[in-house]
Amino acid sequence: LPGGHAGKPPTEGQGKALLFGSRMKGADAKITQLEKSGTMSGSRIQQGAEAVPWVGGALGMAANSLASQSQQEYTQAKRDFVTAVLRRESGATIQPSEFSTADLMYFPQPGDGPKVIEQKQQLRKRATDALLYEAGPHAAQADRLAQPQPSATQHSASGAIRPAQPGTVLRFD
């Protein structure tokens, strides 16, 4: 296992726990960073648009352009965290009601006071720690896996994004 545990490879259960736990850890780090800088949720306009029956998906995509960069990042990190939790628990398709319940349970809502927000942060941490515990000795890799990975695109001197050159090897050490 490159850069990982020197002993036996993880079992299937340990590997899944490490995968989902590292996603939760990375998402929670991003969420916590955004919360400290004042972003406590994604766009409420987007959330409302997504809730419209039958056309919510399309309306939500349109409303996404109205969200700030930090709101978009918060929404993406929240989605990653909740999907990792729920996919690990059920392994099945995630129902909208399950996502809504997890949103209420793990993330600040309008009107939540500082103590409740702190309680939800601790709940995210406990859920992540519990899942990584299942990874056994491989849990030590979670910090490395939770870090943003190099992208296959690169920025030119002008700031334009261009694809990596053919034959470029991306290293994850």
Side-chain angles (χ1 to χ4, degrees):
L1 200 60
H5 182 65
K8 295 191 298 187
T11 64
E12 182 179 352
Q14 288 173 328
K16 284 183 179 181
L18 180 60
L19 168 69
F20 291 120
S22 62
R23 281 180 52 196
M24 291 165 62
K25 188 172 190 128
D28 184 52
K30 183 64 171 179
I31 290 162
T32 301
Q33 171 197 2
L34 290 165
E35 287 174 349
K36 286 180 181 176
S37 68
T39 300
M40 300 303 279
S41 71
S43 168
R44 297 287 178 205
I45 294 170
Q46 182 180 4
Q47 291 169 3
E50 289 172 346
V52 175
W54 298 294
V55 294
L59 289 176
M61 285 190 286
N64 186 51
S65 65
L66 300 174
S68 70
Q69 180 69 34
S70 60
Q71 287 174 321
Q72 291 175 359
E73 290 177 22
Y74 193 96
T75 298
Q76 178 57 33
K78 182 169 72 169
R79 238 182 238 131
D80 194 23
F81 185 92
V82 171
T83 303
V85 168
L86 296 177
R87 186 78 63 202
R88 175 67 170 121
E89 288 176 359
S90 71
T93 302
I94 299 168
Q95 299 301 314
S97 62
E98 293 175 294
F99 201 93
S100 295
T101 298
D103 184 30
L104 293 170
M105 188 164 72
Y106 291 112
F107 303 100
Q109 303 298 312
D112 283 352
K115 294 231 183 246
V116 172
I117 291 170
E118 183 180 336
Q119 182 182 19
K120 290 179 178 187
Q121 289 170 340
Q122 289 302 314
L123 186 57
R124 290 193 309 262
K125 182 174 179 357
R126 280 197 310 270
T128 302
D129 290 347
L131 190 54
L132 287 173
Y133 181 79
E134 291 181 37
H138 304 281
Q141 297 178 63
D143 286 333
R144 181 180 61 82
L145 294 172
Q147 296 300 314
Q149 298 297 315
S151 120
T153 58
Q154 301 169 349
H155 293 272
S156 67
S158 68
I161 297 175
R162 58 183 167 80
Q165 298 300 313
T168 301
V169 176
L170 297 177
R171 296 184 48 103
F172 298 99
D173 317 330

